[in-house]
Amino acid sequence: MSDVLLTLNAGSSNLKYSLWHLPDLISIEQGKIEFKPDKDLNLDAALIQLMDHIYENYGNRSVRIIGHRLVHGGTQFYEPTLLNDNIEEQIKQLIPLAPLHLPSELAAIGFIARHYPEIKQVACFDTAFHKTQNSLYQQFALPNEYAKNGILRYGFHGLSYEYIASVAHEFIGVQHRPRLIVAHLGNGASMCAMSDLNSVTTTMGFTALDGLMMGTRCGELDAGVVLYLMQHLGLNDQQIESILYKQSGLLGVSGISSDVRELEASNDKNASIALELFAFRAAQKLAGLIPALGGLDGIVFTGGIGENSAFIREKILSHLAWLGIQLDVNANQNHFSTIHTANSLVGIYRIPTNEEKMLATHTYAFLSQ
């Protein structure tokens, strides 16, 4: 008999999972189940399918503990947390802070609690890594009463940034670690400025909508645009939410796709414009993080786009040559870990992230509790 640890990342239309052998945390399987909330295969059905799959294919193993990735911990949760009814109720109060993410994540937690009450569950929050940020960098220029009500810059992709920080000594030269900017570029995209591998500030703010241009999200937007959409074009909150989260970004600008691979392969001028805008906005945001660090020693690219698109990496860095960056074109094209030249004043690295491993590591710590 041997045991397994399961990690879950429940979205509104898919369920990502990973299985880990215990006690050595060796990855057994990773996958994703797509579903439609209003069809027969909804989240509950996807979870039933997953648990049946586990018991059918790993019959001599038992799921001992489950770790859930939760996008938002508000001001209450800064550490991985063993779940119970009281904790779940507290997390439910945070739904207005992440209305597109937390409902699905909480639904998965509730399903497991009802059907598999013997399995421990742990919540790991994507905002937790940013607890080291100075309060100055967390504040919006709004009346103070709103900050007291939790309207702050939280930052996200924390599990990814935490993983990069945990393996920095393996990949990043010691001279490039003190003042580091990590670019997590994927369908969701953000950057984190790190001082001695601790979060100082990020491009994302109150929600996962802010900052960089993304696959289908607009990123930073003049708030007046939202008012205009509402007051002059007559759009309601659901229509505006759909535009900002699902119809914008690379998809909206290109009119073709949110997938960088498809856009790079396209001859359509709008595909080129979308990629150019994505790279420029990324460079602009990266440069804007430097004052919080007082300089820059290294840059790390990670995430689906950051790891796999040599074109995007080169385009972003071309806007930052004034920093003394020298890209090794061959190393970049071949996706090496180190992609700067010997004469570059800033270290440039490509490091695959592993949010699931970070989630599994945190969850495993609760196994004996």
Side-chain angles (χ1 to χ4, degrees):
M1 292 288 291
S2 57
D3 300 319
V4 296
L5 180 152
L6 172 64
T7 63
L8 293 177
N9 183 1
S12 59
S13 61
N14 64 68
L15 177 68
K16 297 178 183 177
Y17 70 91
S18 297
L19 281 171
W20 304 82
H21 180 269
L22 295 175
D24 46 19
L25 283 187
I26 293 175
S27 178
I28 302 171
E29 179 182 334
Q30 296 188 24
K32 180 169 68 171
I33 301 173
E34 303 280 355
F35 61 85
K36 295 185 181 297
D38 56 345
K39 302 296 182 181
D40 291 337
L41 185 57
N42 53 26
L43 177 58
D44 281 7
L47 284 162
I48 291 170
Q49 179 178 310
L50 172 61
M51 297 306 283
D52 287 347
H53 166 77
I54 292 171
Y55 288 118
E56 287 172 6
N57 291 276
Y58 306 97
N60 64 328
R61 306 174 188 229
S62 60
V63 177
R64 290 285 307 282
I65 192 167
I66 297 176
H68 297 265
R69 179 186 181 185
L70 270 67
V71 72
H72 217 306
T75 58
Q76 299 98 306
F77 298 102
Y78 289 119
E79 301 290 344
T81 304
L82 190 65
L83 288 162
N84 56 40
D85 290 344
N86 179 51
I87 296 296
E88 285 182 54
E89 284 301 316
Q90 292 182 54
I91 296 172
K92 285 178 183 178
Q93 304 308 309
L94 302 177
I95 287 177
L97 303 184
L100 298 187
H101 296 86
L102 281 178
S104 298
E105 295 161 353
L106 283 164
I109 292 168
F111 178 90
I112 296 297
R114 290 192 304 274
H115 296 277
Y116 304 92
E118 73 283 2
I119 300 178
K120 292 181 178 181
Q121 299 190 79
V122 175
C124 297
F125 301 93
D126 236 357
T127 49
F129 181 71
H130 305 297
K131 66 181 182 294
T132 55
Q133 291 186 8
N134 186 301
S135 60
L136 177 68
Y137 301 142
Q138 294 181 307
Q139 190 156 352
F140 289 109
L142 291 171
N144 286 329
E145 63 192 86
Y146 296 108
K148 293 175 182 177
N149 287 322
I151 300 179
L152 299 166
R153 299 185 62 86
Y154 291 95
F156 301 91
H157 292 130
L159 289 168
S160 176
Y161 294 129
E162 186 177 10
Y163 178 78
I164 297 299
S166 75
V167 299
H169 65 284
E170 299 177 31
F171 296 97
I172 303 174
V174 65
Q175 74 276 25
H176 297 142
R177 295 178 210 161
R179 299 174 298 182
L180 188 69
I181 292 177
V182 181
H184 177 105
L185 306 180
N187 192 50
S190 70
M191 293 182 181
C192 179
M194 297 184 191
S195 176
D196 294 325
L197 304 179
N198 293 307
S199 176
V200 174
T201 189
T202 72
T203 56
M204 277 186 173
F206 180 62
T207 70
L209 185 63
D210 196 15
L212 305 180
M213 176 178 167
M214 306 177 217
T216 62
R217 286 173 252 172
C218 60
E220 182 183 53
L221 182 71
D222 181 345
V225 173
V226 177
L227 295 175
Y228 185 86
L229 293 174
M230 180 175 60
Q231 296 171 349
H232 297 282
L233 298 186
L235 302 184
N236 61 37
D237 58 342
Q238 293 180 331
Q239 290 172 313
I240 293 172
E241 181 178 83
S242 179
I243 291 169
L244 301 185
Y245 277 96
K246 299 178 180 179
Q247 301 174 38
S248 298
L250 289 167
L251 174 63
V253 175
S254 70
I256 299 170
S257 175
S258 63
D259 192 321
V260 164
R261 293 167 296 186
E262 292 184 34
L263 298 180
E264 288 183 11
S266 174
N267 292 321
D268 191 298
K269 67 175 183 179
N270 288 325
S272 177
I273 291 171
L275 293 172
E276 291 282 355
L277 184 60
F278 181 91
F280 173 73
R281 289 287 176 83
Q284 186 180 44
K285 284 296 180 184
L286 191 152
L289 294 175
I290 296 174
L293 295 174
L296 182 63
D297 300 311
I299 298 171
V300 174
F301 289 97
T302 193
I305 298 172
E307 295 168 24
N308 297 306
S309 177
F311 174 82
I312 288 294
R313 292 193 297 263
E314 184 172 2
K315 277 290 180 183
I316 291 171
L317 295 173
S318 70
H319 294 294
L320 299 168
W322 51 274
L323 289 170
I325 290 172
Q326 292 187 25
L327 179 69
D328 184 323
V329 176
N330 180 65
N332 183 51
Q333 288 294 328
N334 287 284
H335 304 298
F336 292 171
S337 294
T338 300
I339 57 175
H340 58 267
T341 68
N343 295 323
S344 181
L345 298 183
V346 178
I348 311 296
Y349 299 87
R350 171 200 166 272
I351 304 175
T353 192
N354 195 337
E355 295 160 291
E356 291 78 14
K357 180 61 179 289
M358 208 73 251
L359 180 54
T361 300
H362 285 313
T363 301
Y364 178 63
F366 287 86
L367 191 58
S368 61
Q369 294 187 20

